[in-house]
Amino acid sequence: MKRVKTIWKVFLAIIIIIMGMLILIPVSAKNSKPLRCLIFYSNVKGVNSMIAQAAQKMETELDGDDDIWLSVYELGEESYSSFETKADIAMELDADVLILSGSAIERETDFQKLEENQIKLILVDGDMKESGRCAYVGTDNQKAGQQGADLLEKRFEDCAIGILSSSVNQENLNKSREERREGFGKRIEMLYSDFGENMKIDTELQCSLNSEKAVESIKDMIQTHPEINVLFCLDSASGIAAARAVKDMGKKEEIYIICFDMTTQVEKEIEEGGIDAVLVQNVDECAKGCIKILRELYQNPDSVKDRQDMFECNIITVD
């Protein structure tokens, strides 16, 4: 009889434990807080920015997700240029994470508000370590420069190159151009010295902001260096000017043009054969990288610190 009572007590204890677990499980789920993320973007006329495209893909992927709540806002140019406005909106909406384009942030920006309100910052399309961002997701610009050199190596036995850039003075764009130039130059040098490829950089030119002057200066450069058969353009503006200059000179069949970044005008030049190849940022990889980091932050808010997730460009060619 005593043994029966003991077994009965053990059985009751097991029932109580199971019931307690069943009660705690829904309470725990009920109290779990979703990760609230905001993305701001502003499309300049003729430029569908990478952050806008990535945001669209992220919205599709995270639609109906209970763990991550994503809100995307398009702001007017004035509001978008103000970091203060974006930070205030993020605080008002009780956001946990803010995703911004690093190319739209000034170096002297005060990021203290985000830190004080425990809002994590993810940057895309332009990095700025001093922002205190937990992660940067974007293009490896040095690798992109190497990709441009490898494309030429596959297409040409002899390659005389003119390097062009526009004089648009924007800090993150300047840095991107420098990194692209460095990656391209190192790869060309290696192909020439280590593999005996007949590839060399003949000259470099920074074009005027004035499109007409830019076109004329490129024509002068080509006339001074008639051996040039490739124009490697470090941004879209110089690529468009190069296409016009080469077309005006009737040298389209003689000079191959590569540029960076897809704009409405670059797309038109690609379709018409004015630009032969464009290196564009990989929007799919950007969206995937941001979502991966958001999922990690949802699991542990302190799991992501000073992270860089970088990827190669996509290459679009006429053929």
Side-chain angles (χ1 to χ4, degrees):
M1 187 70 178
K2 194 173 181 180
R3 186 174 176 183
V4 171
K5 284 184 178 179
T6 303
I7 293 172
W8 179 246
K9 285 180 181 178
V10 172
F11 180 72
L12 279 175
I14 292 171
I15 293 296
I16 290 168
I17 291 170
I18 292 172
M19 288 181 68
M21 290 174 67
L22 290 172
I23 291 169
L24 286 173
I25 288 170
V27 170
S28 172
K30 188 177 179 181
N31 289 337
S32 62
K33 179 188 173 188
L35 188 78
R36 301 178 185 225
C37 175
L38 296 183
I39 299 179
F40 293 110
Y41 73 93
S42 179
N43 278 333
V44 179
K45 185 178 180 182
V47 181
N48 191 8
S49 65
M50 183 173 82
I51 192 168
Q53 296 175 66
Q56 187 176 22
K57 290 182 179 293
M58 289 172 68
E59 279 187 300
T60 301
E61 180 68 25
L62 294 172
D63 184 35
D65 195 298
D66 293 329
D67 297 334
I68 301 170
W69 292 1
L70 177 66
S71 300
V72 180
Y73 296 93
E74 181 177 6
L75 298 178
E77 191 172 341
E78 188 175 339
S79 297
Y80 186 71
S81 62
S82 167
F83 178 81
E84 192 87 9
T85 299
K86 290 174 278 194
D88 287 343
I89 295 172
M91 288 185 292
E92 184 70 26
L93 296 178
D94 195 26
D96 301 298
V97 182
L98 184 58
I99 300 180
L100 298 175
S101 170
S103 62
I105 300 176
E106 298 298 330
R107 189 69 56 180
E108 61 273 12
T109 299
D110 182 7
F111 297 94
Q112 196 66 31
K113 274 188 176 183
L114 296 185
E115 188 177 340
E116 289 172 354
N117 288 271
Q118 297 181 315
I119 299 173
K120 304 288 185 183
L121 178 64
I122 298 174
L123 295 181
V124 302
D125 193 21
D127 194 10
M128 190 182 293
K129 285 189 175 183
E130 54 268 45
S131 67
R133 86 306 186 255
C134 69
Y136 166 66
V137 181
T139 302
D140 184 336
N141 279 301
Q142 285 214 21
K143 180 64 178 175
Q146 294 172 20
Q147 287 180 267
D150 289 337
L151 178 64
L152 296 179
E153 190 267 335
K154 291 173 184 174
R155 289 175 173 267
F156 293 93
E157 291 184 6
D158 300 301
C159 200
I161 305 161
I163 296 181
L164 302 177
S165 64
S166 73
S167 52
V168 175
N169 187 20
Q170 200 278 328
E171 194 158 0
N172 275 296
L173 179 57
N174 293 345
K175 184 181 177 185
S176 295
R177 285 189 295 229
E178 287 170 9
E179 291 173 350
R180 292 165 182 171
R181 169 64 180 86
E182 185 177 354
F184 181 77
K186 284 181 178 178
R187 186 66 175 162
I188 290 293
E189 186 178 339
M190 187 193 76
L191 289 168
Y192 179 77
S193 60
D194 295 354
F195 294 96
E197 299 286 351
N198 191 17
M199 304 176 75
K200 61 189 176 77
I201 297 170
D202 268 25
T203 187
E204 300 188 39
L205 173 69
Q206 186 178 61
C207 306
S208 168
L209 284 173
N210 181 295
S211 58
E212 296 300 326
K213 289 182 179 179
V215 170
E216 291 306 315
S217 63
I218 294 170
K219 288 180 184 177
D220 289 343
M221 183 190 78
I222 293 170
Q223 287 169 349
T224 306
H225 299 272
E227 70 281 6
I228 285 177
N229 61 348
V230 172
L231 292 176
F232 184 72
C233 309
L234 298 173
D235 50 31
S236 59
S238 57
I240 293 164
R244 283 187 55 195
V246 169
K247 199 179 296 181
D248 288 353
M249 297 177 77
K251 289 181 172 286
K252 190 63 215 79
E253 300 303 316
E254 301 170 37
I255 298 177
Y256 191 86
I257 299 174
I258 306 177
C259 77
F260 284 84
D261 301 328
M262 187 65 78
T263 66
T264 302
Q265 189 59 40
V266 169
E267 188 173 8
K268 183 181 176 184
E269 290 292 348
I270 281 275
E271 290 172 356
E272 296 177 355
I275 292 174
D276 299 283
V278 56
L279 290 101
V280 299
Q281 302 189 77
N282 193 324
V283 177
D284 288 336
E285 287 299 317
C286 180
K288 287 178 188 175
C290 287
I291 289 174
K292 181 182 177 184
I293 290 170
L294 290 176
R295 296 204 186 284
E296 291 178 28
L297 288 172
Y298 173 74
Q299 294 296 330
N300 180 358
D302 298 318
S303 62
V304 183
K305 294 180 180 178
D306 196 20
R307 172 100 149 258
Q308 281 189 309
D309 287 1
M310 298 197 291
F311 41 81
E312 294 184 0
C313 280
N314 289 329
I315 302 177
I316 298 172
T317 59
V318 171
D319 50 3

